[in-house]
Amino acid sequence: MRLPTVTLSFTLFTLTGVLGAPATSHHDHHPHTPAPLQAVLSRWSSDPRSRYPTDLTRDISPKPLHSHNDYWRRVPLLTGLSTGAISTEADIWLSPDSSLLIGHHPSSLTPNRTLNTLYLTPLLEILDTMNPPTPSPPETPNGVFDSAPGQTLYLFLDLKSTSPLLFPLVLDALKPLRENDYLSYYANGAYHRRPVTVIGTGAMPMDKVVEMHPRYVFYDFPLDRLVREPELEVEKGVVGMASTSLRMVVGEVRGVEGMDKEQVETVRALVGEARKRGWGVRFWDTPGWPGSRRRGVWRQLVEAGVRLVSVDEVEEAAWEL
């Protein structure tokens, strides 16, 4: 499936506006370049054949950040990508006409803000751009980051309804990405990493995830259960991430520069338990104020081996980490 050119152009125009326009040659209009050479350079720089095909995210370095409440941002998905955040999230509500609406509360839902319009369609367009026709295609498709084409983008889908209709509709919406081999999946006892890894959270039915063969939606496991049930075992290839509230695990963080030694050790121990099971860890509910405490906790979590730090201040976190 490929989308109309006009839609692709619009999304890439929007993304360019967030990420910044592609850089032109540093030779363009250089005062010391001889006139004949300047003419050649100008002519060549305006030729579309000279354009680096995957420069859309060329200067962005991936960061272990989760764009929390991403749909609140002025430009959802794309703002997070512009900072290098490798994870994003969408709260999904089921409308009476079976549309998949995006928002934090029912009062914020509008017909034009859907899972497709805000996330899936832009992702498909970006990934098509990052995977141009080439005589030597990679074994697996490139991801959204040109500087790290093997980096997957975690897409958390937070289901806000327990309706049995919602999960099948989400799977149907994911078809274009799956048909283009852009979704990570688990099959025949092996995990296959792809540009996007979909993780279901909220009311995502774990039993439906377990039943999938191949499985291209993974489960967001409540990490705090490992504190209560250290011997817990879950079927291989079901969990895509293990998440919990930092406050729930370590209590109140009171240090001006972040967690105290005991709290850091608690985090490290929990990360270690998750790693034994092959799970990455995501913490949310981190301190928001003061800024020194917030930034200190971000650094401590990354140093402790946490895969994703959930942040609202994604631009600040990108600079800090």
Side-chain angles (χ1 to χ4, degrees), residues 260-272:
D260 61 32
K261 184 177 180 180
E262 182 178 353
Q263 290 173 320
V264 170
E265 288 305 312
T266 298
V267 169
R268 288 186 183 277
L270 199 51
V271 169

Side-chain angles (χ1 to χ4, degrees), residues 15-34:
L15 181 58
T16 300
V18 176
L19 303 186
T24 57
S25 167
H26 65 86
H27 293 293
D28 291 354
H29 307 295
H30 194 287
H32 301 297
T33 304

Side-chain angles (χ1 to χ4, degrees), residues 223-224 227 244-251 263 266-267 270 283:
L223 180 62
D224 52 282
V227 178
T244 194
S245 158
L246 181 66
R247 186 194 304 266
M248 184 182 298
V249 171
V250 304
Q263 290 173 320
T266 298
V267 169
L270 199 51
F283 277 107

